[in-house]
Amino acid sequence: MSEDAALHLPTALRPAPMGEARGRLAESGGAPAWQANPASSAYAALDLGTNNCRLLLGTPNGSSSFRVIDSFSRIVRLGEGLGATGRLSDQAMDRALTALQACAQKLARRPVRALQAVATEACRRATNGPEFLARVEAETGLRLRIISAREEAELAMESCAPLLEAGDRRALLFDIGGGSTEIAWIRILPGRQVPELIGTISVPVGVVTLSERCGPSCFTEAGFHAVVEEVAARLRGFDSVHCIGQEIRAGGVRLMGTSGTVTTLAGVAMALPRYRRLLVDGQVLEACDADQALGDLFALGRDGLAAHPCVGPDRVDFVLPGCAVYAAIRQVWPVPRLTVADRGLREGILLRLMRLDRAAQRRPPRIWPGCG
């Protein structure tokens, strides 16, 4: 990114001032800070969530898409035990730090033009979240910013905007995460590349928190339906504020889901022998087919889920809690079809970085007093 272009980017999207960062890290004996390479055409997004650490690198491909050139994903369970203690555990922080060191090594091998690295619900809630991120910067050179639930929803909205179609007036976007579920109520404005976020709610239940609190009971009908009712009760207030049910009855509302839960439901509904992102991303499922897939997953039990090619042993404890959240969303908002998005926060970051960079480069150079 050129120096002039960087002036126009919000502070949160600018790379750290390299002299300041180097000096601070040198004093602490830490890793060298990440630095932008203006000659590169690649951008990077790093997302440290409650359950996963993910990195995505891409280059622009038109005005609203990009080509993936590298990626990284690892289950780190950063939020393990957080609900009980309010703190990130030493073991969870060590797992996340190991994954972030791998991300830093990838970025060192493949220079990028701009990077945004964010942390979400686990670091938002943990009393030692800022302390952990300071350690991350010292040991990896990566500066992660804790983002609000609203910004998380905005970024997911930006990533999913290309899946909207003519005739859509509104969209209801949900992201079932590890520590929370984000719901975004969206207005589609003709001629605008990015829709308008009308309202958002962050429900403090996700697949990790639910798994720790009531995971085994989700394998029973009574326990599963208890979670559905708990989550549905939290959503009804948001529904009444925005009259979402009334808008759904009027038509033109698209239900969109971005999370491992909905992509798993899609994989099962499509009877995929193994999960394939290209087949799932953007797929529109009839609600009855998604409901049937949910029933099929529930019937498998723990051993069957562990053996299923779209689930596997690493995710067996999280699938049914996630399905319970999805069932609550369907109960409150009975939209006839579900658009499945295998995209989200990282993709939204990349699209926003690219869009802001293009806008900055189109601006005329700033003329300072006395220079003309």
Side-chain angles (χ1 to χ4, degrees):
M1 184 178 305
S2 70
E3 185 175 350
D4 286 340
L7 289 172
H8 297 287
L9 287 181
T11 302
L13 297 184
R14 297 180 201 159
M18 293 313 302
E20 174 189 331
R22 283 200 189 97
R24 184 172 61 253
L25 293 173
E27 289 173 7
S28 65
W34 172 85
Q35 49 188 317
N37 183 339
S40 175
S41 62
Y43 298 77
L46 194 158
D47 166 25
L48 179 63
T50 302
N51 198 42
N52 295 280
C53 176
R54 297 186 175 105
L55 174 70
L56 188 65
L57 285 78
T59 56
N61 181 26
S63 61
S64 60
S65 64
F66 57 85
R67 182 176 67 86
V68 175
I69 57 174
D70 204 353
S71 64
F72 172 89
S73 180
R74 183 174 296 174
I75 295 175
V76 296
R77 304 193 310 281
L78 181 61
E80 186 176 60
L82 176 61
T85 67
R87 293 178 59 83
L88 304 174
S89 71
D90 290 340
Q91 295 87 348
M93 289 189 290
D94 287 344
R95 287 193 298 265
L97 190 58
T98 299
L100 289 166
Q101 287 167 339
C103 293
Q105 291 167 4
K106 275 186 173 289
L107 290 166
R109 291 193 299 268
R110 192 189 289 270
V112 297
R113 183 176 179 83
L115 161 71
Q116 188 177 35
V118 303
T120 56
E121 181 68 7
C123 289
R124 279 198 296 263
R125 291 179 54 195
T127 57
N128 60 339
E131 175 187 336
F132 170 60
L133 295 186
R135 177 187 169 196
V136 167
E137 184 176 359
E139 296 189 24
T140 69
L142 297 173
R143 180 185 297 181
L144 275 71
R145 180 173 63 91
I146 299 175
I147 61 173
S148 68
R150 184 178 179 88
E151 184 174 355
E152 191 173 347
E154 288 172 344
L155 290 165
M157 177 184 72
E158 188 149 351
S159 74
C160 293
L163 299 180
L164 296 169
E165 297 180 2
D168 292 338
R169 297 184 307 107
R170 301 283 189 273
L172 187 64
L173 173 64
F174 65 91
D175 181 0
I176 305 170
S180 63
T181 296
E182 315 303 329
I183 308 286
W185 178 231
I186 299 163
R187 179 184 292 114
I188 291 88
L189 300 171
R192 280 189 55 174
Q193 184 177 346
V194 180
E196 177 187 1
L197 183 60
I198 302 172
T200 182
I201 183 175
S202 180
V203 184
V205 291
V207 298
V208 174
T209 51
L210 285 173
S211 175
E212 291 184 351
R213 179 161 60 87
C214 51
S217 67
C218 280
F219 287 86
T220 69
E221 285 193 26
F224 185 89
H225 288 297
V227 173
V228 173
E229 288 304 319
E230 175 193 342
V231 177
R234 293 175 179 268
L235 300 177
R236 290 190 184 104
F238 186 70
D239 174 75
S240 63
V241 168
H242 295 286
C243 302
I244 298 173
Q246 181 178 328
E247 293 281 1
I248 289 171
R249 289 188 291 274
V253 176
R254 181 174 294 273
L255 180 66
M256 307 174 76
T258 168
S259 67
T261 297
V262 292
T263 57
T264 298
L265 287 172
V268 173
M270 298 166 67
L272 297 180
R274 62 183 179 85
Y275 184 80
R276 292 183 62 189
R277 180 187 182 278
L278 290 176
L279 295 179
V280 169
D281 183 45
Q283 181 73 28
V284 178
L285 297 180
E286 296 296 323
C288 58
D289 292 335
D291 294 346
Q292 180 61 53
L294 191 158
D296 292 344
L297 286 170
F298 185 86
L300 287 174
R302 174 179 288 276
D303 291 342
L305 289 171
H308 196 284
C310 292
V311 181
D314 290 339
R315 297 180 57 239
V316 68
D317 292 323
F318 306 133
V319 171
L320 292 185
C323 285
V325 176
Y326 168 73
I329 292 168
R330 280 272 298 124
Q331 178 176 299
V332 177
W333 296 304
V335 178
R337 283 172 291 280
L338 168 66
T339 298
V340 180
D342 191 344
R343 59 180 75 192
L345 185 60
R346 294 175 305 161
E347 290 81 1
I349 289 172
L350 287 186
L351 289 171
R352 179 178 288 184
L353 283 173
M354 294 171 188
R355 178 168 54 82
L356 290 172
D357 203 2
R358 283 194 304 270
Q361 291 175 25
R362 286 196 297 266
R363 288 190 179 97
R366 183 177 298 178
I367 303 300
W368 297 100
C371 295

